[in-house]
Amino acid sequence: SLVEAHGFGVLHGQLDPGRVWLTGRGLDGVKVTGFGGLTLLPSQNMSARGLPYASPEHLSGDELTPRTDVYGIGVILLEMLTGRAPFASESPMRIALAQRDGAPCQGVWYDRLCQDHPTLAAIVQRCLSYEPAARYASVNDVRAALMHHLCLQAA
């Protein structure tokens, strides 16, 4: 869904698990909803539920790019794999400070992911880079990395 949306120049900017639907098997069976109202400021359009999934640039009011959605994918992947979001708070300021000051991928639960699935952990960590330029350039690049990982696992 995001690859197609980005192809039309549409960013989501507010990815969270409640906006991702599984409609079939594989990566093509994932659908994303909730593309409305993306030009508003974060304080006007982001619920407390969505705060832990917001990118650093979203919380700081900087320009949103496709790498913003890459960050959201990283948060969702991390939560799917470990059962934990990287930063949890009701305060946008606390989340922004935690993003700036701390690594999102730390703790025993993340160490276990690194130990059991180092390639997958590296994909997640790159998606969650604080600096947008350090993330994958597009959701298509994330998809390619995940598909490559799945092919390696199947071999």
Side-chain angles (χ1 to χ4, degrees):
S1 295
L2 290 171
V3 171
E4 291 177 30
H6 287 189
F8 289 108
V10 175
L11 299 177
H12 193 288
Q14 297 180 14
L15 288 174
D16 67 53
R19 295 172 186 195
V20 178
W21 292 82
L22 301 178
T23 61
R25 297 173 68 103
L27 294 176
D28 291 327
V30 179
K31 304 300 177 201
V32 178
T33 64
F35 281 88
L38 301 178
T39 58
L40 300 175
L41 296 173
S43 62
Q44 294 173 311
N45 69 356
M46 188 166 294
S47 67
R49 177 190 70 147
L51 287 174
Y53 305 93
S55 68
E57 61 272 20
H58 200 154
L59 292 173
S60 65
D62 292 339
E63 179 183 1
L64 304 184
T65 70
R67 293 174 195 249
T68 303
D69 286 343
V70 167
Y71 186 91
I73 290 170
V75 176
I76 292 169
L77 283 172
L78 182 65
E79 190 169 10
M80 285 172 49
L81 295 166
T82 66
R84 298 172 184 247
F87 306 109
S89 176
E90 296 295 315
S91 164
M93 181 59 77
R94 285 187 182 179
I95 292 172
L97 290 172
Q99 287 174 329
R100 185 193 69 203
D101 297 337
C105 301
Q106 57 187 0
V108 174
W109 49 274
Y110 183 71
D111 293 343
R112 179 72 187 252
L113 175 65
C114 289
Q115 182 179 16
D116 295 345
H117 304 284
T119 305
L120 192 54
I123 293 169
V124 171
Q125 194 164 25
R126 184 170 174 190
C127 288
L128 292 174
S129 295
Y130 180 77
E131 292 295 331
R135 296 179 206 143
Y136 290 97
S138 71
V139 294
N140 203 37
D141 291 345
V142 177
R143 182 179 186 200
L146 289 170
M147 292 300 291
H148 180 73
H149 172 72
L150 291 173
C151 289
L152 290 177
Q153 293 298 308

